[in-house]
């Protein structure tokens, strides 16, 4: 069934996002990983690099979107963005501007999340583009990575 295949694909791609998030943690970055998949092919991937780039804009989703745009062009219709963490307002805006069709994320972000936690930006009917949203894929693994990272920071 198509629904079963979508679930399997979502889980497979989220596994790669979790690997990227682990790479971020190993580099002392907040552990978030993201992919852009178009027609079953990864066209962009990213992990948080805020500290390394000394930029609050260096989010995993932004890196994945930039790679995808460099490969595909100015828009990404039909693409799916996967992220271990609910996208923030910055990333949600970029997702909308690039015309991503669907977003799949793991853990909610109660302090910055713009998809479910603080707002529903990607599905706002006032906007000229909206995305399908699926949440909770790999949520426990994503949340566990984040808890472990921040527990280590607090000492």
């Amino acid at each position: 069934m198509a629904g079963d295949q979508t679930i399997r694909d979502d889980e497979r791609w989220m596994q790669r996002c979790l690997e990227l998030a682990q790479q971020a943690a190993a580099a002392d970055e907040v552990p978030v990983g993201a992919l852009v998949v178009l027609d079953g092919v990864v066209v962009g991937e990213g992990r948080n690099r805020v500290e390394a780039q000394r930029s609050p804009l260096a989010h995993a989703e932004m890196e994945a979107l930039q790679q995808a745009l460099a490969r595909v062009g100015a828009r990404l219709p039909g693409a799916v963005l996967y992220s271990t963490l609910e996208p923030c307002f910055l990333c949600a805006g970029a997702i909308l501007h690039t015309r991503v069709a669907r977003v799949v994320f793991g853990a909610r972000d109660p302090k910055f999340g713009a998809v479910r936690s603080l707002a529903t930006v990607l599905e706002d009917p006032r906007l000229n583009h909206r995305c399908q949203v699926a949440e909770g894929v790999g949520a426990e693994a994503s949340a566990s990575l984040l808890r472990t990272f921040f527990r280590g920071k607090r000492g």
Side-chain angles (χ1 to χ4, degrees), residues 2 30 86 114 127:
V30 175
E86 177 182 7
L127 300 173

Side-chain angles (χ1 to χ4, degrees), residues 45-47 49 53 59-68:
E45 64 178 33
R47 63 177 179 81
R49 296 181 195 269
Q53 293 185 10
H59 291 188
E61 299 93 333
M62 298 297 285
E63 187 172 74
L65 287 168
Q66 288 171 337
Q67 279 186 15

Side-chain angles (χ1 to χ4, degrees), residues 16-133:
R16 177 62 185 144
C17 289
L18 287 163
E19 292 168 9
L20 292 164
Q22 289 168 340
Q23 291 174 18
D28 203 29
E29 300 275 0
V30 175
V32 179
L35 294 177
V36 176
V37 176
L38 183 62
D39 298 324
V41 176
V42 175
V43 293
E45 64 178 33
R47 63 177 179 81
N48 271 4
R49 296 181 195 269
V50 170
E51 301 304 323
Q53 293 185 10
R54 296 177 153 199
S55 171
L57 307 178
H59 291 188
E61 299 93 333
M62 298 297 285
E63 187 172 74
L65 287 168
Q66 288 171 337
Q67 279 186 15
L69 292 167
R71 289 186 177 126
V72 175
R75 298 280 189 268
L76 301 167
V80 181
L81 182 135
Y82 292 88
S83 180
T84 57
L85 185 63
E86 177 182 7
C88 69
F89 287 90
L90 167 75
C91 295
I95 289 164
L96 291 171
H97 281 291
T98 57
R99 304 298 192 260
V100 166
R102 185 168 173 257
V103 171
V104 179
F105 71 90
R108 283 194 180 195
D109 184 350
K111 295 185 179 183
F112 285 98
V115 179
R116 290 286 190 259
S117 296
L118 299 178
T120 55
V121 172
L122 299 181
E123 299 168 306
D124 191 314
R126 297 170 293 180
L127 300 173
N128 67 339
H129 179 73
R130 285 170 292 290
C131 299
Q132 294 178 348
V133 175

